[in-house]
Amino acid sequence: MTFDHKQDAQFAKSVLFVAFANLTYFFVEFIVANNIHSTSLFADSIDFLEDASINILIFLALGWSVKNKERLGKCLAVILVVPALAFLYTTWQKFNMPSIPDPSMLSLTGLGALVVNLSCTFVLIRFRDYQGSLTKAAFLSARNDALANIGIIIAGLIGFIWLSMWPDLIVGFFIMAINLDAAKEIWEASEHHEIPLKP
């Protein structure tokens, strides 16, 4: 089995770019989430941190054996569950201390996150089948985050006409669901040895 060293280098640079972009916006979203008490933004900020971790792990694993990549694929699937747990924790807090996030900040922060995630998706889309479950993890994370950000923007817009914590919570549940689905896909890819291109 052969592989392209030039494409390996391009993929490595792309993964590092995505990791840096995700880590940077994690801090932005986490700070805003705490300031406006948004459950969906908090869950999404943890998702940014998780994405940064996934892409750093993928970068470090580029030269690993097939067997070790299969193990890492399973680890990445488990990592994708972290935002779901974070969401459940913040949801519990939300019900104990109900609060309505500022709709303008919610929408603007969601829009910024969408720009970041669409950029990452664009960078990764040509590599989505390149390293099997490893790149599937990175691509699915970026794609799912873009969908979640659209939900956050919509929740913010709804907040202008309906002062309720429910739009924020519903989007949080959506973020949890898509991350669990992505975790399932990556786990199955690892089980079926979909990790090609490295001997």
Side-chain angles (χ1 to χ4, degrees):
M1 187 178 292
T2 60
F3 55 93
D4 188 338
H5 288 286
K6 183 178 179 181
Q7 195 171 18
D8 275 356
Q10 291 173 340
F11 176 58
K13 289 179 182 177
S14 297
V15 165
L16 283 180
F17 167 80
V18 171
F20 177 76
N22 277 279
L23 185 61
T24 301
Y25 209 78
F26 156 72
F27 290 106
V28 173
E29 212 169 40
F30 185 80
I31 291 169
V32 175
N34 279 286
N35 285 338
I36 68 173
H37 307 290
S38 168
T39 305
S40 61
L41 278 185
F42 178 77
D44 201 48
S45 71
I46 300 301
D47 199 42
F48 269 108
L49 182 61
E50 162 248 317
D51 286 352
S53 302
I54 282 177
N55 283 280
I56 290 169
L57 283 172
I58 290 171
F59 174 78
L60 295 174
L62 285 177
W64 289 8
S65 67
V66 171
K67 179 57 70 175
N68 284 334
K69 285 184 179 180
E70 290 171 5
R71 290 171 183 155
L72 179 59
K74 289 185 173 68
C75 289
L76 296 182
V78 173
I79 289 173
L80 277 168
V81 177
V82 172
L85 298 177
F87 168 73
L88 292 175
Y89 173 72
T90 53
T91 299
W92 174 256
Q93 289 187 317
K94 190 91 166 182
F95 279 113
N96 286 332
M97 294 185 295
S99 60
I100 302 170
D102 178 74
S104 58
M105 287 301 297
L106 186 62
S107 292
L108 285 173
T109 308
L111 181 61
L114 179 62
V115 171
V116 172
N117 283 312
L118 286 178
S119 300
C120 292
T121 303
F122 180 77
V123 167
L124 292 172
I125 193 166
R126 64 194 176 110
F127 298 109
R128 64 186 181 277
D129 298 316
Y130 182 52
Q131 290 280 334
S133 66
L134 297 186
T135 25
K136 180 172 279 191
F139 174 72
L140 285 175
S141 292
R143 183 205 67 184
N144 290 348
D145 288 348
L147 293 173
N149 300 148
I150 292 171
I152 289 171
I153 294 168
I154 292 171
L157 294 175
I158 292 173
F160 285 107
I161 56 176
W162 181 30
L163 292 177
S164 170
M165 68 178 184
W166 282 105
D168 185 49
L169 280 173
I170 289 169
V171 172
F173 276 110
F174 173 68
I175 293 172
M176 180 180 71
I178 61 176
N179 276 285
L180 291 176
D181 182 65
K184 177 175 173 288
E185 284 191 50
I186 295 162
W187 184 277
E188 288 173 351
S190 297
E191 287 285 295
H192 292 93
H193 311 291
E194 295 176 15
I195 312 199
L197 297 181
K198 290 288 185 181

